[in-house]
């Protein structure tokens, strides 16, 4: 059953990877979209594609989730023109670096904490009150297996995703008594730009992360997000952990040797 048709979903980090796949998946259900990312040209192309294919309303905003004031301005703006989202997908997030903590780059840490934790908080603080006031809404946080188990050199990235898990739990406690739902979709290894960003643009190194086994695709994760969002209103899926079959925990991955 399609319970997503005619609803409106706001997705952060929508220009690529899991965010873009979520935009396409929601569009296929007939969900109107508010798409946010820093790369406007990519959003323009995506919006054109989805409007043509599905006849939905798509608005795009060049937006950096680290910009605290921008989150509140956007919420006011969307409220003013009647486009508040029914579903907020807190997807924007990143890993920077894979160094032992004692050798970590503090700028990398700041970027991860600002984006993955503070960015998610700003967006949630801006939009959750509207959901509570309207008596419905759904926040879907994109967590990670890295928020359930640390792995060597994951340190600060792990900490940010542990924070997302804690906040997902906390938001659930704090909206008790309302119909607002809060869920976390926690993927394992997904082939996206994630590793290229983590390795500061080193494509070769990034490629090896996904070699010798079949990682998740962004579409696999988007399916899970839509499943969670499409549940009947009395059903709140608090957490959904999704891993490739070749991965069984944060660091146990079965890889076949790669030729060459
Ligand atoms: C991304 C998954 O295992 O690369 O959050 O940290 S992992």
């Amino acid at each position: 059953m399609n319970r997503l048709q005619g609803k409106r979903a706001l997705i952060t980090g929508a220009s690529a990877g899991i965010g873009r796949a979520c935009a396409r998946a929601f569009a296929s259900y007939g969900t109107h979209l508010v798409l946010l990312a820093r790369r406007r040209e990519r959003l323009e192309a995506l919006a054109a594609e989805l409007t043509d294919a599905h006849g939905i309303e798509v608005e795009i905003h060049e937006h950096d989730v680290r910009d605290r004031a921008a989150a509140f301005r956007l919420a006011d703006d969307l409220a003013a023109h009647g486009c508040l989202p029914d579903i907020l997908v807190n997807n924007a997030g990143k890993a920077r670096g894979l160094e032992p903590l004692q050798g970590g780059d503090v700028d990398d840490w700041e970027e991860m904490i600002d984006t993955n934790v503070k960015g998610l908080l700003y967006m949630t603080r801006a939009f959750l009150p509207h959901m509570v006031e309207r008596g419905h809404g759904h926040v879907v946080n994109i967590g990670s297996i890295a928020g359930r188990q640390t792995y060597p050199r994951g340190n600060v990235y792990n900490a940010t995703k542990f924070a997302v898990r804690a906040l997902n739990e906390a938001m659930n406690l704090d909206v008790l008594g309302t119909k607002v739902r809060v869920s976390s979709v926690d993927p394992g290894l997904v082939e996206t730009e994630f590793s290229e960003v983590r390795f500061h643009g080193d494509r070769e190194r990034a490629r090896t992360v996904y070699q010798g086994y079949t990682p998740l695709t962004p579409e696999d994760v988007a399916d899970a997000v839509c499943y969670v969002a499409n549940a009947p209103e009395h059903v709140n899926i608090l957490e959904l952990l999704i891993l490739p079959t070749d991965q069984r925990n944060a660091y146990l991955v079965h890889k076949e040797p790669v030729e060459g």
Side-chain angles (χ1 to χ4, degrees):
M1 185 173 177
N2 180 356
R3 300 182 187 86
L4 296 173
Q5 185 158 24
K7 293 207 170 143
R8 191 174 310 274
L10 185 156
I11 304 169
T12 64
S15 63
I18 293 170
R20 181 173 59 192
C22 285
R24 289 184 171 136
F26 276 113
S28 74
Y29 281 91
T31 310
H32 304 303
L33 294 169
V34 182
L35 304 179
L36 272 51
R38 286 172 305 159
R39 296 175 286 196
R40 188 178 180 89
E41 326 74 63
R42 287 203 184 194
L43 285 182
E44 278 167 359
L46 183 61
E49 170 198 320
L50 298 179
T51 313
D52 284 355
H54 303 286
I56 52 169
E57 296 166 18
V58 184
E59 61 173 282
I60 60 173
H61 295 268
E62 189 175 327
H63 184 98
D64 186 336
V65 294
R66 294 172 299 180
D67 185 338
R68 172 173 160 176
F72 293 93
R73 266 201 315 273
L74 179 68
D76 287 347
D77 175 31
L78 294 181
H81 67 275
C83 289
L84 281 168
D86 305 292
I87 302 157
L88 166 64
V89 183
N90 277 322
N91 164 70
K94 59 171 59 162
R96 293 295 259 174
L98 191 63
E99 310 300 331
L101 192 100
Q102 59 273 27
D105 180 329
V106 178
D107 287 336
D108 283 348
W109 298 355
E110 306 272 13
E111 202 176 333
M112 289 188 280
I113 293 167
D114 287 352
T115 307
N116 303 1
V117 183
K118 292 167 72 178
L120 179 142
L121 279 170
Y122 298 154
M123 291 300 294
T124 306
R125 182 64 183 84
F127 286 94
L128 189 56
H130 292 284
M131 292 182 177
V132 170
E133 194 184 312
R134 295 200 300 164
H136 79 273
H138 198 155
V139 179
V140 182
N141 296 307
I142 304 299
S144 172
I145 178 75
R148 292 161 177 258
Q149 193 179 28
T150 54
Y151 52 83
R153 300 167 183 249
N155 48 66
V156 176
Y157 178 68
N158 285 130
T160 64
K161 289 297 183 175
F162 270 71
V164 171
R165 192 166 184 215
L167 290 170
N168 188 72
E169 200 176 302
M171 286 178 214
N172 266 294
L173 303 181
D174 291 347
V175 296
L176 177 72
T178 76
K179 296 292 183 200
V180 175
R181 295 181 286 173
V182 184
S183 307
S184 183
V185 173
D186 300 350
L189 288 155
V190 189
E191 187 161 11
T192 61
E193 291 171 3
F194 176 85
S195 290
E196 202 179 315
V197 172
R198 165 171 263 174
F199 300 136
H200 296 273
D202 183 342
R203 285 194 181 175
E204 209 36 53
R205 188 171 174 204
R207 213 162 52 86
T208 62
V209 174
Y210 307 110
Q211 281 178 339
Y213 70 103
T214 308
L216 296 174
T217 64
E219 290 72 27
D220 296 326
V221 182
D223 276 352
V225 170
C226 286
Y227 170 74
V228 161
N230 195 38
E233 207 174 353
H234 67 285
V235 176
N236 185 27
I237 300 169
L238 269 75
E239 298 180 345
L240 193 156
L241 176 62
I242 172 172
L243 303 182
T245 307
D246 288 328
Q247 179 181 18
R248 301 297 166 138
N249 75 13
Y251 50 80
L252 200 59
V253 183
H254 175 75
K255 292 192 177 192
E256 299 288 349
V258 180
E259 303 277 314

